[in-house]
Amino acid sequence: MEPHEQLLQWAEAKGVKLDGIAPQRLPGRGMGIVATRSIQPDEILLEVPARCLRSIETVPKSLSRRLPRDISVHGLLAADLALDSTDTYAAWNAVCPTPADFASMPLHWPPALQELLPGPARALLARQRAKVERDWAAASKLFLSSSSSSPSSSSPPSDANGDDDDDGTEKKTEGDATAAAADASAKKQRFIQAWLLVNTRTFYHESPRLRRRTKEDRMVLQPVADLFNHAGSRTGWCHVAFDAASFTVRADRRYAAGDEVRICYGRHGGDLLLVEYGFVLGGDDDDGDESRSSHDDDGNENGWLEENCWDEVGLDDVLLPRLSDSAKDKLSEVGFLGGYVLDAGTVCYRTQVALRALCCLEEEWRRFIEDGEDGDAARQGDVDRVFAGLLEEYRTQTIRKTVAKVAAMDGEEEGKGESSGKNSSSTKAQRELLCKRWRHVDRLVRITVKRLKGETGMNKTH
Ligand SMILES: C[S@@+](CC[C@H](N)C(=O)[O-])C[C@H]1O[C@@H](n2cnc3c(N)ncnc32)[C@H](O)[C@@H]1O
């Protein structure tokens, strides 16, 4: 029997109900959920009773009492996943991604490649790393203490894949510094693997205990529901809801047998999806060739943006280096320094403010902030021209050069990093993912340049 069939057997015995759907392996997406018959809008496709959740409530006391009281729920669940040596969740663990599957996560990329991520993705990665390190700092004592291998059993822990090569207790007593360092590193890697599982598979939930936590930390794991992939279109994803008794997933529309059924992880742009989930949505058939006129350029319904309608491009790297120190001070005073973005249809108001700090007189700039964009229509054309120039330069000087640099990198050089995916095929996949992300950035920038040049003013902000 396939692991996902065993998971279903285990989950259904615990009260999980699937109706008209089943897990299936899908090319390029790992596991996913597909319709097994035609489905009508509003049908309940999945019910996961609260007793099946893996949560702060299910972490054994033998583990939680040995961790700091203020450890995040994320850290606690990761420690539980990494150190659980019982077979309670064996059927569930067997369908979870392996460390090799997580080679696509930028956290595991070689530093040379991480440095070439778009600015917002680099910032997200730095925040993610800080969270991992904070949680590891809280959990590491337990992992590294000699008797800590398995708080809930006397046998050594095994990870989700049965890759049980960790005999930490013995190594530590050898007094061998090298072996101890390798052991510590392996334990940290195991923790990070579990941390990423939690990061990519949890659902927002509220229980009395979770309500005492920050919103960001109100997370639970649920079996089977964690096999739904993400849809980034405005429509075309099922509704997920919970109450005290259960989670339910309800069909948003009709599905034919064989259609993939997805949910929406949130209104996430491409940088976030890449850093937090390790994938990039949307086609990749565009090499930036200006001579080809693609319907995608207008972001119309059939284009690539349909697949990730919430995609956006961070512009801090475009604008901040252009601003003088005094312009930055002024922007900072009014709360508009940084955080500049554009999407397929709009350029954010913060960007408009920063652009005027670049190319308008101070009184015009102040009037714009006070009156909003409508008070400044006469200057909009000049601002658009300057902005289009900056974006075109960004395309030639940053985007294209970065894509060329990534394409020219070879796996051996990258392998010097601390990547978990050191073999050349995984680093090639990492490079392709990064290039794909940059090509999407390029397309959004190109769409904006066209609009700036083709219209008298940018009348949309967000
Ligand atoms: C909650 S899991 C979904 C199930 C997952 N595909 C699996 O094999 O277990 C989230 C992960 O699925 C993958 N994923 C989700 N949506 C995707 C999509 N639209 N395209 C490609 N990969 C996707 C990413 O690797 C993400 O980190």
Side-chain angles (χ1 to χ4, degrees):
M1 200 186 287
E2 291 284 324
H4 63 267
E5 291 166 343
Q6 280 175 5
L7 169 71
L8 283 195
Q9 216 174 56
W10 173 83
E12 284 173 340
K14 291 189 161 307
V16 174
K17 289 187 195 139
L18 290 86
D19 192 356
I21 55 167
Q24 189 178 304
R25 192 155 282 285
L26 298 168
R29 296 203 273 281
M31 295 301 296
I33 297 283
V34 294
T36 53
R37 58 167 171 79
S38 82
I39 289 171
Q40 300 306 310
D42 237 26
E43 275 193 59
I44 293 182
L45 306 178
L46 179 68
E47 249 184 292
V48 180
R51 65 176 176 281
C52 298
L53 304 178
R54 202 165 177 183
S55 70
I56 190 168
E57 271 97 4
T58 61
V59 175
K61 286 238 165 357
S62 56
L63 173 69
S64 55
R65 68 166 175 252
R66 297 170 70 194
L67 289 162
R69 284 180 72 82
D70 62 352
I71 189 171
S72 70
V73 176
H74 196 149
L76 188 63
L77 290 174
D80 185 25
L81 259 63
L83 293 173
D84 179 23
S85 61
T86 68
D87 57 11
T88 311
Y89 298 106
W92 189 353
N93 293 338
V95 293
C96 284
T98 64
D101 293 328
F102 276 149
S104 67
M105 299 291 298
L107 187 69
H108 282 322
W109 291 6
L113 213 54
Q114 291 172 340
E115 279 159 25
L116 297 175
L117 283 162
R122 279 201 314 277
L124 285 164
L125 181 60
R127 274 205 290 282
Q128 185 185 75
R129 187 178 285 121
K131 283 202 232 164
V132 175
E133 290 301 332
R134 175 202 65 193
D135 288 340
W136 173 242
S140 56
K141 252 197 205 152
L142 175 59
F143 277 71
L144 300 175
S145 65
S146 56
S147 59
S148 69
S149 296
S150 179
S152 52
S153 105
S154 56
S155 56
S158 69
D159 64 19
N161 316 301
D163 182 15
D164 192 0
D165 60 355
D166 186 353
D167 56 353
T169 309
E170 280 174 28
K171 279 181 188 163
K172 284 212 156 270
T173 54
E174 283 168 12
D176 178 332
T178 313
D183 179 52
S185 166
K187 284 174 172 167
K188 184 171 181 183
Q189 285 311 315
R190 175 178 296 181
F191 177 78
I192 291 175
Q193 168 71 9
W195 196 96
L196 288 175
L197 284 174
V198 173
N199 202 53
T200 53
R201 307 180 85 75
T202 39
F203 287 75
Y204 180 85
H205 194 237
E206 286 179 358
S207 63
R209 273 181 80 181
L210 283 178
R211 262 185 232 115
R212 283 184 245 141
R213 301 292 189 136
T214 60
K215 284 202 162 174
E216 194 188 43
D217 216 20
R218 293 177 190 170
M219 48 174 75
V220 294
L221 288 150
Q222 47 173 332
V224 185
D226 63 357
L227 298 177
F228 280 104
N229 286 317
H230 167 75
S233 49
R234 266 181 219 290
T235 55
W237 33 271
C238 294
H239 308 295
V240 182
F242 65 84
D243 59 21
S246 64
F247 268 87
T248 49
V249 179
R250 196 181 282 273
D252 57 309
R253 60 175 169 90
R254 282 194 177 81
Y255 289 87
D259 286 352
E260 183 177 10
V261 180
R262 301 197 209 180
I263 60 171
C264 176
Y265 299 174
R267 297 177 172 210
H268 300 317
D271 290 319
L272 189 141
L273 290 176
L274 177 56
V275 172
E276 300 293 353
Y277 295 97
F279 73 95
V280 170
L281 265 182
D284 189 27
D285 54 352
D286 190 341
D287 55 8
D289 182 353
E290 305 291 318
S291 59
R292 285 189 320 152
S293 90
S294 159
H295 60 262
D296 281 346
D297 285 358
D298 303 320
N300 81 11
E301 287 195 320
N302 301 319
W304 137 80
L305 283 165
E306 182 66 4
E307 278 213 54
N308 191 9
C309 66
W310 297 296
D311 203 4
E312 59 184 26
V313 171
L315 298 172
D316 286 8
D317 288 349
V318 178
L319 292 171
L320 291 178
R322 310 285 171 157
L323 294 163
S324 65
D325 287 345
S326 75
K328 282 186 196 157
D329 288 345
K330 280 190 288 178
L331 284 163
S332 178
E333 269 167 37
V334 290
F336 282 103
L337 183 62
Y340 310 126
V341 289
L342 60 77
D343 64 23
T346 61
V347 172
C348 78
Y349 181 68
R350 301 178 69 79
T351 303
Q352 297 284 5
V353 172
L355 283 167
R356 279 160 177 79
L358 253 184
C359 61
C360 294
L361 299 171
E362 174 146 3
E363 64 254 34
E364 289 174 320
W365 176 72
R366 292 217 177 268
R367 225 176 21 246
F368 182 75
I369 295 175
E370 280 154 24
D371 299 349
E373 55 199 315
D374 293 335
D376 183 56
R379 290 298 265 142
Q380 189 69 57
D382 298 337
V383 172
D384 287 353
R385 262 188 299 283
V386 170
F387 190 30
L390 293 178
L391 291 179
E392 278 177 329
E393 196 179 317
Y394 184 55
R395 291 189 69 204
T396 52
Q397 295 306 307
T398 302
I399 300 177
R400 284 192 193 157
K401 285 187 177 171
T402 306
V403 171
K405 195 168 172 183
V406 175
M409 282 174 106
D410 77 24
E412 250 177 66
E413 187 191 320
E414 292 163 33
K416 290 176 193 155
E418 53 174 344
S419 165
S420 70
K422 282 181 185 154
N423 66 59
S424 60
S425 70
S426 67
T427 55
K428 183 168 182 278
Q430 291 163 348
R431 288 197 299 275
E432 282 170 2
L433 210 49
L434 179 56
C435 285
K436 187 171 172 182
R437 177 60 198 142
W438 273 112
R439 279 196 281 271
H440 288 177
V441 169
D442 190 45
R443 276 194 255 184
L444 280 177
V445 171
R446 198 169 81 210
I447 289 167
T448 306
V449 170
K450 283 193 166 187
R451 205 176 52 237
L452 288 167
K453 286 183 165 176
E455 295 175 6
T456 47
M458 298 198 47
N459 51 8
K460 289 182 187 171
T461 57
H462 64 182

